[in-house]
Amino acid sequence: MSKRVYKTIFWSILFSLLAICWISSSGNLGFNYQYYVGSWSPLKQSEYQERGSNNYRMDDPSRCPMLRHNIFQSANPFQLHRQAILVHKCKTNRLSKSASNGSSFTQKLNNNIALYDPMGFLYCRIQKVGSTFLQKTIRNVFADLKFTAPRGNAMLANRSKDFIDCLSKTSKFMFVREPYGRALSGYVDKLFAPNPFYWSSAGRFIIKTIRGLKASPLSLKCGHDVTFPEFMKYVIQAQKTLTHRDRHFYPMYEHCFPCDIKYDFIGKMETFRDDVSHILDVFNSTFSRGMTFENFEKESDLQIASSHINRLFSFKGQTLQCEPFHRSFQRVWRDLQIRGVLPIDTKMPFILEKMNTINQTHVTDVVTRIIQNVQNRTKLKEQRLEAKIEAFSQLSADIIKEYRELYRLDFELFDYPTLPDFVKIAISTPPKHLKYFDIF
């Protein structure tokens, strides 16, 4: 074998050994985590109900969920590799010190970290990393139980010691995403798709500060037509100055502090189906649940489409102040095509003149039928990639460079290339015309 092959094998073995050491010992590599103590066994249905009742309070550390072994731990080589990379990068970037500093640590805990009680697990959600889907899935899995999911800051407001005591004894998981794709998802969901709240809170600010004197009165009033290059300039400016930031666009490591909190499982959007399946398997075996997906991709797509259509009609009164309804409808349709939910060659089957009278149920039924009839999911995957290339081909090399430098830790901690292939293609082959982002 070549030296390169030997080198690859060597590093893979080394990273796996580091991950095993990290999982089994709290003292390695400078980490100061407390580890699981006590014993645990599955609770009966009545015990769940009692602990989930209004009379149950997690204000006694002795009643924290006590786990000897974390329930989300996986021996999957990919998972071991993720954990090992994280350990190594936290150490080399000197990011693992605040766990030993109580006041500093508690200040960092925020409303992304939720402790599900009485089940005894913690999920740290990161916006634009499947968090809505995951939270809804958790609610569905435990729909028959009374449970609470207090956020980190809510727990800290009244009894921070209790939360810290419980934190080290609770199984924890989080999900991350390739940073460029996450930025694009944030733009599409909050500014490209009809979203009057973000048009007002972020869009108008971007129009005023980035577009400036070129902005029309309507754009300044509504903030509804921000382009992807303008959005990326705003993200860079906000991260540089730490002003007018929005948590949906924060770096991922700022959401969950993975160098301070040891997560037992790190899922990725790039392996979302397999990673969510692992979490569901744990729920089913540990808590005697029985939830499965018959067709993960289609069920996920249907949930996304239903949510976006609902938002379209909910916001109709507000969006009409900025653009006609058919334009908002076109945004949603294109949004679902960018996500690979609807085929790009599927035209809107609605007459323009009747858009104002069409109802939500009819639209949902039509879109549901289209999704159900999709046969070639490989083509949808290629479509998502094509849309990403088109989006980033609109950016200058300087913008891409600044973004990857400012979000360097997200790339390093979670093992993502700073220049993935689709970005290289986007830089080298700018489009002659826009196919996905031609709304404006």
Side-chain angles (χ1 to χ4, degrees), residues 9 30 38 58 67 96 184 218 241 248 298 329 375 381:
I9 294 173
M58 194 184 290
L67 308 175
S96 59
L184 177 59
L218 181 62
T241 62
H248 286 81
K298 282 192 177 182
F329 196 105
Q375 301 297 324
K381 185 177 180 180

Side-chain angles (χ1 to χ4, degrees), residues 287-304:
F287 303 106
S288 300
R289 305 286 94 187
M291 183 173 179
T292 58
F293 289 100
E294 291 183 10
N295 188 317
F296 183 88
E297 286 85 0
K298 282 192 177 182
E299 290 184 47
S300 177
D301 287 349
L302 288 169
Q303 186 179 128
I304 292 171

